Amino acid sequence: MSGAGCRAECWWKRHIAEQLKQRDRVQRQAFEEIIHQYNRLLEKSDLQAVLSERLQADKSDLQNRQDLSPGVDVSRSDALLQEMAQIRIRHQEELTELHKKRGELAQNVIELNNQMQLKDKEIQSNEAKMLQYQQRISELEAECRELRSNLQDLERANQTLKDEYDALQITFSALEDKLRRTTEDNQELVSRWMAEKAQEANRLNAENEKDSRRRQAKLQKDLAEAAKEPLPLEPDDDIEVLSEDTAEGVGPADVSPSRTPGRTPSKRISQPPASGLLDSISSIFGRRSVNSYSSSPDSAETQTGACAEVRVPSTALHTFDAHDGEVNAVCFSPGSRLLATGGMDRRVKLWEVVSGRCEQKGALTGSNAGITSIEFDSTGSHLLAASNDFASRIWTVDDLRLRHTLTGHSGKVLSARFLLDNVRIVSGSYDRTLKLWDLRSKVCMKTVFAGSSCNDIVCTEQCVMSGHFDKKVRFWDIRAESIVRELELLGRITSLDLNHDRTELLTCSRDDLLKIIDLRNNVVRQSFSAQGFKCGSDWTRVTFSPDGCYVAAGSADGTLFVWNVLTGKVERTLDKHHSSAINAVSWSPSGAHVVSVEKGSKAVLWSDM
């Protein structure tokens, strides 16, 4: 550093010397002309003085000669005087010219002096700047030394961090291998667990079937023993005896009060036919077999078509605690006789609507997490439920047995629906996929990536409509596995529902709007909103009335809203029965009842009675 400082000091000294030499050359060149002119002026002035002295001397001599000889050589004296006058005039002109030049040179000297002063000031300013620059250079050199020191420290720290990074990379690789092995073990454990759950379900089904057979055998035995016992009859009693054919052909309507039944004499009937008695008792109690898995017309509910008259609810007939915790889903069976609810307590409960009340008929178990969606098939004999444990399940309604567990999604299943053939279902999940399942082979036939979390699904003959978190309704062709079209709304889609003839789609979104989309021309036909209506969650379910003339939805404040489709206005507002946000609403196919369920544990049965 000392050598560099010496070189810098020599450099600025040389620079100053060169600047001074340059100034000397520039300024001397201007002053040389002035000095040269000034010297000439002095020489001419000296010559003028000499000539003046000579002329003065000549004049004196001439006067003396004239005084001595006044008449001699007069002409010569005149000539000399004229010559002297001309010389004087010429010298006077030269002197005037020299004075003029002297004045100019003096002015130049003044201007050059001013310039020299300016240059001196500039030199002083430059010297001051050079001193500042020198100080700045010193500061920068000190800063540079400090930066070099910091750079060395950073290089050492960087090397340390690099070594630590290499060590962490090695540790990360080891942990990644461990995670992969743990994931494989987890998958194996899940597979084993699912296999054990399936075995347990089969074992429970077998035990239920054995228990059912045992009860049936006991009932048959009791009935057979009861049939074998003789009936004590008093001699005075008269009983009507009907033949088997007559009994089968005569109903209650065939017997009128005016008709007098035939009487027979009193006699003891010791042993009536056992089979006939069993059949009669079976027909009285309406017993049916619980061992059959396939749905038959005798065991399935009678499905009603479009109802003749829809009742707009106005009264809460029954308020009851449906689940232990939040209730997420509700659905009527096709015959409107049964009602299913699903909650966070991992159960699906079946309720029978009797005389304006809901009486629990049974519970469907087997889910390992909360229920998110439920639906009956078209016959009412099977029930499908989606849950938060990444699976969908199917139970038979008659015997409450778990029939299928469909696993394959990597996120919670938010919706699952039967297709119209009842042998295929579609499920939509939080993992942004839709899956098509075949219940005959119990396998996933197709998986479609939707690009966004699927909140709800509805189906037609060959088209699946799904509502998503990215505010889009997507229309899928089942045969082609591709999107037919998309329709984007203003908020996240929470619910979809079709009217009875499947020509209009009802949507609910988080922008607090319900919209009806005409599926024939793919346009929004009607929008519904109301003061105080607010969509309470990302899975708030809404519904069409069976005739498609009304839509019903629950609000975040526990109020049930019913809109008229034709007018677009609120037909009825029902409140004071829910204490929390309404999650789902279902309208019975008969049009007589509406059920709403909430984030609490309550469900409310509504009607106009």
Side-chain angles (χ1 to χ4, degrees), residues 151-164:
L151 179 62
Q152 293 176 357
D153 294 340
L154 289 174
E155 287 178 348
R156 289 193 294 270
N158 186 31
Q159 184 64 36
T160 303
L161 291 175
K162 185 177 180 182
D163 297 338
E164 292 179 357

Side-chain angles (χ1 to χ4, degrees), residues 124-318:
Q124 292 176 1
S125 176
N126 289 333
E127 288 177 353
K129 289 181 179 180
M130 288 180 66
L131 290 175
Q132 293 178 358
Y133 291 154
Q134 188 64 31
Q135 293 176 359
R136 181 60 179 165
I137 288 171
S138 301
E139 294 175 357
L140 291 174
E141 288 176 350
E143 187 176 355
C144 185
R145 289 193 297 270
E146 184 179 358
L147 289 174
R148 287 196 184 95
S149 176
N150 293 336
L151 179 62
Q152 293 176 357
D153 294 340
L154 289 174
E155 287 178 348
R156 289 193 294 270
N158 186 31
Q159 184 64 36
T160 303
L161 291 175
K162 185 177 180 182
D163 297 338
E164 292 179 357
Y165 173 77
D166 293 337
L168 290 174
Q169 188 69 28
I170 295 172
T171 306
F172 175 75
S173 301
L175 291 175
E176 193 174 24
D177 295 337
K178 185 177 179 180
L179 176 62
R180 185 172 61 254
R181 292 193 299 270
T182 305
T183 303
E184 292 174 355
D185 295 342
N186 183 43
Q187 291 178 353
E188 182 181 358
L189 289 174
V190 169
S191 301
R192 290 169 56 189
W193 179 71
M194 293 303 297
E196 291 179 359
K197 292 294 289 184
Q199 292 177 2
E200 183 180 358
N202 292 332
R203 185 167 59 254
L204 289 174
N205 291 338
E207 291 178 358
N208 290 335
E209 186 173 356
K210 288 180 181 179
D211 186 61
S212 175
R213 289 177 178 175
R214 186 167 56 252
R215 288 197 303 269
Q216 184 179 1
K218 183 179 179 181
L219 178 62
Q220 289 180 351
K221 182 178 178 182
D222 293 341
L223 292 175
E225 291 177 356
K228 291 178 181 178
E229 293 180 0
L231 296 177
L233 298 176
E234 295 297 332
D236 298 335
D237 291 339
D238 290 332
I239 60 173
E240 178 183 2
V241 179
L242 298 177
S243 64
E244 241 179 53
D245 297 338
T246 308
E248 291 176 358
V250 178
D254 295 332
V255 180
S256 62
S258 60
R259 180 179 175 182
T260 304
R263 300 279 181 172
T264 60
S266 301
K267 62 179 179 179
R268 297 175 64 91
I269 302 177
S270 62
Q271 204 168 9
S275 59
L277 182 59
L278 286 175
D279 294 340
S280 301
I281 295 176
S282 299
S283 64
I284 292 173
F285 289 99
R287 180 177 53 84
R288 55 191 174 195
S289 173
V290 295
N291 299 325
S292 174
Y293 167 70
S294 61
S295 61
S296 63
D298 296 335
S299 62
E301 288 191 59
T302 303
Q303 183 176 357
T304 60
C307 67
E309 181 182 0
V310 170
R311 300 175 182 176
V312 178
S314 60
T315 306
L317 300 180
H318 186 203

Side-chain angles (χ1 to χ4, degrees), residues 195-464:
E196 291 179 359
K197 292 294 289 184
Q199 292 177 2
E200 183 180 358
N202 292 332
R203 185 167 59 254
L204 289 174
N205 291 338
E207 291 178 358
N208 290 335
E209 186 173 356
K210 288 180 181 179
D211 186 61
S212 175
R213 289 177 178 175
R214 186 167 56 252
R215 288 197 303 269
Q216 184 179 1
K218 183 179 179 181
L219 178 62
Q220 289 180 351
K221 182 178 178 182
D222 293 341
L223 292 175
E225 291 177 356
K228 291 178 181 178
E229 293 180 0
L231 296 177
L233 298 176
E234 295 297 332
D236 298 335
D237 291 339
D238 290 332
I239 60 173
E240 178 183 2
V241 179
L242 298 177
S243 64
E244 241 179 53
D245 297 338
T246 308
E248 291 176 358
V250 178
D254 295 332
V255 180
S256 62
S258 60
R259 180 179 175 182
T260 304
R263 300 279 181 172
T264 60
S266 301
K267 62 179 179 179
R268 297 175 64 91
I269 302 177
S270 62
Q271 204 168 9
S275 59
L277 182 59
L278 286 175
D279 294 340
S280 301
I281 295 176
S282 299
S283 64
I284 292 173
F285 289 99
R287 180 177 53 84
R288 55 191 174 195
S289 173
V290 295
N291 299 325
S292 174
Y293 167 70
S294 61
S295 61
S296 63
D298 296 335
S299 62
E301 288 191 59
T302 303
Q303 183 176 357
T304 60
C307 67
E309 181 182 0
V310 170
R311 300 175 182 176
V312 178
S314 60
T315 306
L317 300 180
H318 186 203
T319 301
F320 57 98
D321 289 328
H323 290 268
D324 297 331
E326 184 174 351
V327 189
N328 293 330
V330 62
C331 183
F332 274 98
S333 65
S336 303
R337 183 176 60 87
L338 291 180
L339 172 70
T341 58
M344 295 302 291
D345 58 357
R346 302 178 295 175
R347 287 180 172 84
V348 177
K349 292 186 178 181
L350 297 178
W351 310 83
E352 189 169 4
V353 181
V354 179
S355 301
R357 297 184 60 83
C358 293
E359 299 178 357
Q360 185 172 349
K361 182 183 179 184
L364 307 178
T365 60
S367 175
N368 300 306
I371 304 298
T372 59
S373 170
I374 53 179
E375 187 189 33
F376 287 93
D377 68 350
S378 61
T379 64
S381 60
H382 292 80
L383 186 139
L384 168 66
S387 67
N388 286 331
D389 61 353
F390 307 169
S392 302
R393 291 173 175 84
I394 299 177
W395 292 266
T396 47
V397 175
D398 288 340
D399 54 8
L400 312 181
R401 290 179 59 182
L402 178 64
R403 295 296 181 177
H404 299 287
T405 300
L406 307 175
T407 59
H409 283 289
S410 60
K412 52 189 177 182
V413 183
L414 299 177
S415 181
R417 302 290 181 188
F418 282 103
L419 291 182
L420 299 183
D421 54 12
N422 290 336
V423 296
R424 293 177 297 171
I425 72 167
V426 177
S427 60
S429 170
Y430 187 77
D431 63 4
R432 300 178 291 176
T433 64
L434 279 75
K435 290 182 179 290
L436 177 64
W437 307 84
D438 188 350
L439 300 182
R440 292 166 295 193
S441 59
K442 301 179 183 180
V443 297
C444 176
M445 300 170 59
K446 297 175 183 178
T447 299
V448 180
F449 182 74
S452 178
S453 173
C454 178
N455 289 339
D456 201 5
I457 294 173
V458 292
C459 306
T460 60
E461 185 72 27
Q462 294 295 339
C463 182
V464 174

